[in-house]
Amino acid sequence: MKSKFQVILALLVIAAFTLTACGGNEATPTTSSDMSDNANNNTAAPTEANTMDENTTEEETTDETMTDEGMMDMSFADYLNPLVQEGDIVSAGSSTVFPLASRMAERLEDEGFAGSITIDSIGSGAGFERFCEAGETDVSNASRPIKDAEVEACGTIGREPIEFRVGTDAIAVVVSAENDFVTELSLEELALVFSTATLWSDVNPDWPAEEILRYAPGTDSGTFDYFNEVVFDEDEAPILNSAGTEFSEDDNILVQGVLGSPYAIGFFGYAYYAENEDAMHILTIDGVEPVRENVDDFSYPLARPLFIYSDASIMQEKPQVASYILYFLTFVNEEIEDVGYFPASEGDLFQAKLSWFDAMELPVSDPLAQSGDIVSAGSSTVFPLASRMAERLEDEGFAGSITIDSIGSGAGFERFCEAGETDVSNASRPIKDAEVEACGTIGREPIEFRVGTDAIAVVVSAENDFVTELSLEELALVFSTATLWSDVNPDWPAEEILRYAPGTDSGTFDYFNEVVFDEDEAPILNSAGTEFSEDDNILVQGVLGSPYAIGFFGYAYYAENEDAMHILTIDGVEPVRENVDDFSYPLARPLFIYSDASIMQEKPQVASYILYFLTFVNEEIEDVGYFPASDNDLAGGLAAWVDAMAQ
């Protein structure tokens, strides 16, 4: 089973831009020694169990921090790991949120939560009554925002409700699959259907002169409130006075009512339609279908947000409640579409997670509030990815300046560890022991952050019609003693091999040399006529210049030019995602950025940049042309980030 602690750390700590732990014991920065064996031997990351043990140990060093802040005797790791919690969690409210909350509770219990979770489906209004008046629940589920009067009621019992956005719903207006005459309604027609119209023909003369059988949620339901707000401008009288309408807080009763007749119509949360879509039709409203893109941008007029609410004092006094909410926010987007709703945006979830950290009195700050310079240099392979992340951050409003130089991994470490000129070093290989020692001489302890995976692309021009794959032995010949293609394979042309390779400062060179030549640089450096360059674009142009050329570089440069070149299979293994993820492709290798705790603390913009990078890298990396790092790999980097900021 995947380490849930690791995944929670990966997906939640990243939500806290610049989390600064106060006090605590010193943590040891993570360096290449943690991963170099795995990277160099082309093996997978450490086992999940071992990774969890290592990170748990690291996080336990912050126990005193939490205690010093009056946060009981809980470590930050304990809050991130709900499986160490016990005790009861009482939740009630919206029937719309109920299926989603139930799914999250079941998932948590299946994974070993030792406490008890109670979830009652009673409607948003009744849920707020139990939370704000009776004080009986820890979490209130709602399909509408809390009202001012409910906030005031909470205040009278000493509660300050905190809102956590967990998803988006589209109220489904539905008819039975046996209904063959209505496929869409305008908002005006919908108002008629649920108010003064008695027969379907009262709404449209082309429809049957049959009685409209109406099914609607009860008045305690957030679904009722939202429908009433949109369709009747918050005037409840028309729908409450509609003849024969059946109201129920139980959406399953509404579903059965609609299914009972071709002349029935009802509305409820989208999940209940999704469970029964083979037996009913969902209607288009005002010409807009309730599909994801229309729900996301709220062009569908009955789209509405979904929430859970709690209170800081509850979350601090009952750590199982805090863990449950954090778990909910972490994994909700893995479950929500299967339940039948639509994910909240990353921005909305980000704000919800910030609210959690605020409630737990863990200070956070937004990187967009930072200024100052960030200086980064190193790997040409990491350069396109780092550039994309910097551009995204700047596009979102970062007020500082970000400089990224593409000079090769080795040269990048020289600037970081010897000259001390850079804040972040980009690398397509782990840092070497000698480089760590050089960093130490200027008072730096490099911290390693895994940001992705690359497959070194061995490529030929699209005009090459004779080579599609090479063994490692053939690849070694091509980049060493062979002069003609026929020297490698007698069936290939007796034409000169034109070789293009990264320069010796490049991590790509180092890694290729390690795998193909067992770290002996002499064969490739002595190969006749090989053109070396730290600029991968020069290598690309060289390969494209002749059908007899061959080169290697980071996968992203192949991805940019795939129409003009062929990528070769190596040792019978294609460089596709599954083979890169499990390192069966022999030229797969991890990608990193490095920094130092003192830099991150003295220059908060650097800490924010790194955390932003780790947060959003997997949204960008495939488009850039690389492969995502695993959750556990990202978690290791994030644990190192937390440790660095806790010193």
Side-chain angles (χ1 to χ4, degrees), residues 338-573:
D338 188 55
V339 172
Y341 298 127
F342 302 87
S345 70
E346 287 298 324
D348 289 325
L349 279 178
F350 168 67
Q351 290 301 322
K353 292 168 186 174
L354 287 183
S355 295
W356 187 93
F357 279 92
D358 285 342
M360 301 312 292
E361 299 178 1
L362 297 169
V364 294
S365 64
D366 191 327
L368 303 187
Q370 305 290 347
S371 59
D373 67 306
I374 300 167
V375 182
S376 172
S379 167
S380 62
T381 303
V382 177
F383 176 77
L385 182 60
S387 296
R388 172 68 65 87
M389 300 313 300
E391 287 166 10
R392 174 170 171 162
L393 182 55
E394 289 170 335
D395 288 346
E396 290 180 9
F398 175 65
S401 65
I402 307 174
T403 302
I404 304 173
D405 292 334
S406 174
I407 57 175
S409 298
F413 284 128
E414 285 179 14
R415 286 187 62 186
F416 183 78
C417 290
E418 297 178 23
E421 297 171 346
T422 58
D423 306 309
V424 177
S425 195
N426 304 323
S428 52
R429 61 162 172 81
I431 192 169
K432 298 176 180 178
D433 290 343
E435 291 162 337
V436 174
E437 290 175 12
C439 269
T441 62
I442 63 168
R444 290 185 169 185
E445 297 183 19
I447 303 170
E448 183 176 278
F449 302 99
R450 173 76 179 273
V451 294
T453 306
D454 179 33
I456 294 179
V458 181
V459 299
V460 293
S461 164
E463 296 178 4
N464 182 311
D465 59 2
F466 57 90
V467 59
T468 58
E469 63 178 293
L470 292 169
S471 67
L472 282 174
E473 292 75 13
E474 290 171 330
L475 188 58
L477 275 175
V478 166
F479 278 94
S480 60
T481 57
T483 302
L484 307 178
W485 281 103
S486 56
D487 295 337
V488 182
N489 185 322
D491 294 331
W492 294 345
E495 297 283 349
E496 183 183 359
I497 301 171
L498 306 177
R499 294 176 268 250
Y500 294 88
T504 55
D505 267 336
S506 167
T508 308
F509 175 91
D510 289 340
Y511 194 71
F512 183 91
N513 182 60
E514 176 187 323
V515 174
V516 178
F517 294 111
D518 197 24
E519 300 190 15
D520 180 8
E521 294 182 357
I524 189 170
L525 292 180
N526 294 328
S527 57
T530 300
E531 182 168 339
F532 297 93
S533 176
E534 302 297 344
D535 185 341
D536 288 347
N537 289 301
I538 290 176
L539 306 179
V540 167
Q541 294 308 310
V543 170
L544 296 181
S546 169
Y548 306 113
I550 187 170
F552 64 91
F553 33 72
Y555 191 91
Y557 292 89
Y558 158 71
E560 281 187 355
N561 300 277
E562 59 183 319
D563 292 338
M565 56 177 60
H566 296 315
I567 191 167
L568 305 185
T569 294
I570 304 299
D571 265 357
V573 183

Side-chain angles (χ1 to χ4, degrees), residues 601-614:
Q601 292 177 19
E602 291 165 11
K603 299 182 72 172
Q605 69 272 25
V606 173
S608 288
Y609 165 74
I610 292 170
L611 200 52
Y612 184 88
F613 201 126
L614 296 173

Side-chain angles (χ1 to χ4, degrees), residues 78-146:
D78 287 337
Y79 279 107
L80 293 176
N81 187 1
L83 305 187
V84 306
Q85 307 293 345
E86 55 185 22
D88 67 304
I89 300 167
V90 182
S91 173
S94 167
S95 61
T96 302
V97 177
F98 176 76
L100 182 60
S102 297
R103 172 69 65 88
M104 300 312 299
E106 288 166 10
R107 174 170 172 161
L108 182 53
E109 289 170 337
D110 287 346
E111 289 174 8
F113 175 64
S116 65
I117 307 174
T118 303
I119 304 173
D120 292 334
S121 175
I122 57 175
S124 298
F128 284 128
E129 285 179 15
R130 285 188 62 187
F131 183 78
C132 291
E133 297 179 22
E136 297 171 345
T137 58
D138 306 310
V139 178
S140 194
N141 304 322
S143 53
R144 61 163 173 80
I146 192 168

Side-chain angles (χ1 to χ4, degrees), residues 578-629:
E578 56 269 28
N579 299 335
V580 172
D581 283 349
D582 65 11
F583 290 93
S584 59
Y585 178 69
L587 292 173
R589 41 84 181 266
L591 303 177
F592 308 100
I593 59 176
Y594 287 80
S595 193
D596 164 82
S598 60
I599 296 171
M600 293 164 63
Q601 292 177 19
E602 291 165 11
K603 299 182 72 172
Q605 69 272 25
V606 173
S608 288
Y609 165 74
I610 292 170
L611 200 52
Y612 184 88
F613 201 126
L614 296 173
T615 302
F616 294 109
V617 63
N618 276 1
E619 292 184 10
E620 302 289 343
I621 194 166
E622 290 183 278
D623 187 55
V624 171
Y626 297 127
F627 303 87

